[in-house]
Amino acid sequence: MKRMLLLNGPNLNLLGTREPDVYGHDTLASIEEEVAAYGASKGVAVDCFQSNHEGVLIDRLHEARPCYDGIVYNPGAHTHYSYALRDAVASIGLPVVEVHLSDIEAREPFRALSVIAPVCVAQIKGKGKAGYKEAIDVLLGYADRTAS
Ligand code: CA2
C-alpha cells in the first residue's frame, strides 16, 4: 500500500468556523476524513497533520522523507513568503503537490505568488476540498510515470 501525508499549514485548523464563502463549510477534521477515505479507495494510506508553526512543519517534512510516497500540502499563508518551507520541500526528495482551497490568483495580489510551487510537482487551486483528492491522483500518476 502506498502512503501519503496530507499536510496543512497555519489557520487551516479554523476551517468551517469562518469565511465559508472563501473556504467552504467543512471542518479540517471532516476534510481529512474524506481525503483519507478517498485515498483508501485508491490503495493509499493517508496520514494527516496540521500545524500553525513554521518550524514544526519543517520538522514534519524532514521526518516524512523515509515514510511516504508523496505529500499533499496546503501551506496556507506560508505559501507566499516562507523560503524555509520551500527549502524543506526541495530537500526531502519526495513529490509534493501544493493545494489551495481558494483560487490564490483571483484574490489579493500578495496571494498570487507562491514561493513553494516551483519546488512542487504540481499546484492545484480554487477547487475547494476536491483539490486535495485530485492531488492524490496527481501523486499516483507521478509514481506510475517515475516507476516506468
Ligand atoms: O486557499 C487556500 O487554501 C489558502 O492556502 C488558505 C490560507 C491563505 O493564507 C492562502 O493564501 C490560501 C488561509 C487559511 C485560513 O483559513 C481560514 C479558515 C477559516 C477561517 C479563517 C481562516
Side-chain angles (χ1 to χ4, degrees), residues 8-20 22-24 26 73-80 98-104 107-108 110-113 124-126 128 132:
N8 278 284
N11 296 308
L12 286 153
N13 57 310
L14 297 177
L15 286 174
T17 64
R18 282 180 289 140
E19 301 192 58
V22 182
Y23 299 119
D26 296 289
Y73 184 21
N74 184 343
H78 285 148
T79 303
H80 315 300
E98 181 181 302
V99 175
H100 297 286
L101 295 158
S102 64
D103 181 356
I104 55 173
R107 300 180 62 193
E108 302 96 320
F110 78 88
R111 293 190 202 273
L113 173 73
I124 298 168
K125 59 183 188 300
Y132 290 115

